[in-house]
Every structure is written in C-alpha cells, then in structure tokens.
Amino acid sequence: MRASALKDDVSFLLARANALSLSAGHAALAPFNLRVRSYSILALVADDIRPSQRDIAEHLRLDPSQVVSLIDDLQTRGLVKRDPDPTDRRTNVVVMTDEGRELFRSAHDAVRAAERDLHSHLSPDQRERLSELLLLVAFPD
Amino acid sequence: MRASALKDDVSFLLARANALSLSAGHAALAPFNLRVRSYSILALVADDIRPSQRDIAEHLRLDPSQVVSLIDDLQTRGLVKRDPDPTDRRTNVVVMTDEGRELFRSAHDAVRAAERDLHSHLSPDQRERLSELLLLVAFPD
DNA sequence: TATTGTTATACTCTATAACTATA
DNA sequence: TATAGTTATAGAGTATAACAATA
C-alpha cells in the first residue's frame, strides 16, 4: 500500500507530512487556546517586524479578509494590537503586546517540543537538509 | 520578512509548501473535474491494490465517512466501482473502471507536469533527496 | 464485542465579491 | 485608478457521534 503510485509523488507526501504536522501542532497549541494559524501570526509579529495586515496575508498565504478576523480575535485577547501606520493612514501595523509575547514564548516551546518528537526518527543532518529543501520549495523566489 | 521566526520552522515551511502544491494541483486537475482528494483516491485505486474504503481512509488520512461521499461521486461518474469483498461481507473493495483508468492517466500527466514546473528551480538531486526525506516524515513507521 | 460502511451534524478553512477610506 | 482593510457569503475540508450489518 505504501508502494502505491502516490509514494513518489512529492505533492502527496507533502500533503500527508503536513497533515501529521498540523495534528501535532494543534494538539500542542490547544492548551494555549491557539490554532496553527493564529500561532503563525503571533510568530510573525513576535519579531517586531511591524508587518501590515497585507504583509501577514501574503507571507502566510491567507486572504486579507481572513487576517481581519484572526487579528480581531488576537486583539480581543490582548495578545496583539493594531497601530496606525504614520506614513499611510490606510494601513494597520500589527504589533505584539507583552502578554502576547509571553504566551507566544510558551507556545513556541510547546510547538518545538512537538516537532522534535514528530521528527525524532530523523538524524540532525536529515532534519537540517529537510529544512533547507523545504525553504526552497516554500519560497521559490 | 522571510527571515522571521517561522523561517526555520519545519511545520510552517511544510504548510506553505503544501499550500503552493495544492494550488498547483487543483489548477492542473480542474480540466478533469477532479479535486486533489478525488485524484488521490484514483491514484490509490489505479494500482489494482483493491483497497477497502477503510484502507483508503487510513492511507489518505481521511475519516471513513469522508471516503463514502468521495467514492459516491467517483462511482456516479463511472470512474470507480465498489466490489463486495468475498471474504468479508462488511467491506467494499474499490476498483477502477476503464474510463477511470483513462481519465487518471491524463490527470496524472497533468499533475506531474505541474509538479515539475513548480520544482523547476530544484536540481534533480535536490528533488530526489526531498522526496526521500518527505517519505520518512509522511510515513514515520 | 469490535469493525465496515453509512448518515448526520457542526465547525474550521478557503475563495470570492463588494464596499470604504485613503493614496 | 489602485491599494488596505473590512464585511458578507458560499463552498470545501475536518471532526465527531451514532447506527445497521457483519465479524
């Protein structure tokens, strides 16, 4: 069964690997009341890049309209806030609050632990190479 | 932006790579009136493994109840059919029809072409290694 | 008792179009 | 004329529980 036409199909392997990773991620994030997508936004904002909602949408491959409600939720919970961009009154810049930073730190640890667990059968070298190759595929530019 | 906390996060890269691959896949499959999931079922059935619906569900990480409606659709279109398993009257074995085989062949070509295009910036060696590593991650057993 | 396929339901995610305020 | 954010809506994907037939 493993040796089906799909087994050398990179798209299929990608889909299955991602499904496993998503499950593990959601399980790890549940205690923090975060989903993978809200966690990703926190991660993006955590670096003090001050991204606009548009930046977030593009980097996370989300529609701008989805970002609205995700940020709404995070803002309601006091984890991020919207700052007006002084140079363009149309755009909001998303920044992290102290509570957000703290929650993200714990969530980040949990995610890393889950990931380490999920890939425990890979050698450090294999993990490294996987990461490099995936970066190429995820950001082909 | 590319250099955010997420860039060395395998889960994130996996998610983004999969999103790109899904888009390309859906675009390639649209002319055949297939979605990625129905295509995957065809691919699994195409090898004459005669999988049960349960087998399909497990291998594709779908809930058995989802498989029902996917097979319903494919069967209505005459692409697959359900054969009773002689050794266990509870289970259906899913097999391909001639039309199904023919459609799958064309769809398979289209998917391969799209995939080749999507990974055209990788060397053959990199593609090979990516495939091997993903197989390890997708099937950790 | 446990398992296969099935039905039903609710929730999340994804995709699209249209609107407003700014540029 | 184009872009950022927003609202609304519909469709696809996901998760769960319960049931009949069979093992």
Side-chain angles (χ1 to χ4, degrees):
Chain A
M1 190 76 163
R2 255 185 78 165
S4 79
L6 289 172
K7 77 129 203 336
D8 51 20
D9 184 328
V10 174
S11 320
F12 168 67
L13 295 175
L14 220 38
R16 199 177 203 276
N18 181 50
L20 293 174
S21 156
L22 265 181
S23 305
H26 280 135
L29 290 170
F32 305 98
N33 247 300
L34 290 172
R35 308 280 304 166
V36 164
R37 295 166 80 194
S38 39
Y39 168 80
S40 305
I41 291 190
L42 286 186
L44 214 53
V45 175
D47 285 324
D48 301 318
I49 320 176
R50 302 180 63 83
S52 70
Q53 296 188 190
R54 219 75 185 191
D55 293 335
I56 293 174
E58 276 168 33
H59 199 258
L60 262 32
R61 278 188 60 87
L62 297 172
D63 191 87
S65 65
Q66 302 169 27
V67 176
V68 173
S69 52
L70 286 165
I71 301 282
D72 280 351
D73 174 58
L74 293 174
Q75 190 168 34
T76 303
R77 295 167 58 188
L79 302 173
V80 304
K81 63 186 177 42
R82 287 181 237 238
D83 268 7
D85 181 338
T87 74
D88 186 337
R89 278 192 295 172
R90 289 173 305 180
T91 90
N92 296 325
V93 142
V94 184
V95 295
M96 201 148 222
T97 65
D98 289 343
E99 301 100 280
R101 203 172 299 281
E102 196 174 337
L103 183 74
F104 174 68
R105 199 136 35 204
S106 316
H108 189 60
D109 289 346
V111 166
R112 293 302 258 237
E115 201 171 274
R116 215 166 26 241
D117 193 57
L118 195 63
H119 300 153
S120 57
H121 60 301
L122 296 188
S123 72
D125 186 58
Q126 287 177 317
R127 261 171 279 185
E128 173 83 11
R129 277 191 299 166
L130 176 63
S131 194
E132 285 167 11
L133 290 168
L134 281 178
L135 184 62
L136 280 177
V137 176
F139 293 92
D141 29 90
Chain B
M1 191 75 164
R2 255 185 79 166
S4 79
L6 288 171
K7 77 129 203 330
D8 52 18
D9 183 328
V10 173
S11 320
F12 169 68
L13 295 175
L14 220 38
R16 198 176 205 276
N18 182 49
L20 292 173
S21 157
L22 264 180
S23 306
H26 280 134
L29 290 170
F32 305 97
N33 246 301
L34 290 172
R35 307 281 303 167
V36 165
R37 296 166 80 192
S38 40
Y39 168 80
S40 304
I41 291 191
L42 286 185
L44 214 53
V45 174
D47 286 322
D48 300 319
I49 320 176
R50 303 179 64 80
S52 71
Q53 297 188 189
R54 219 76 187 189
D55 292 336
I56 294 174
E58 275 167 33
H59 199 260
L60 262 33
R61 278 189 62 88
L62 297 172
D63 191 87
S65 65
Q66 301 170 28
V67 176
V68 174
S69 53
L70 286 166
I71 301 282
D72 280 351
D73 174 59
L74 293 174
Q75 189 168 34
T76 303
R77 295 167 60 186
L79 302 174
V80 304
K81 63 184 175 45
R82 286 181 237 238
D83 268 7
D85 182 338
T87 72
D88 185 337
R89 281 192 291 174
R90 288 174 306 180
T91 90
N92 296 325
V93 142
V94 184
V95 295
M96 202 147 222
T97 65
D98 289 344
E99 300 101 279
R101 202 172 299 281
E102 197 174 335
L103 182 74
F104 174 67
R105 199 136 34 205
S106 316
H108 188 60
D109 289 346
V111 166
R112 293 301 258 237
E115 201 172 276
R116 216 166 24 241
D117 193 56
L118 195 63
H119 300 152
S120 57
H121 61 300
L122 296 189
S123 71
D125 186 59
Q126 287 176 318
R127 260 171 281 186
E128 174 83 12
R129 279 190 299 167
L130 176 63
S131 194
E132 286 168 9
L133 289 168
L134 281 178
L135 183 61
L136 280 178
V137 176
F139 294 93
D141 30 271

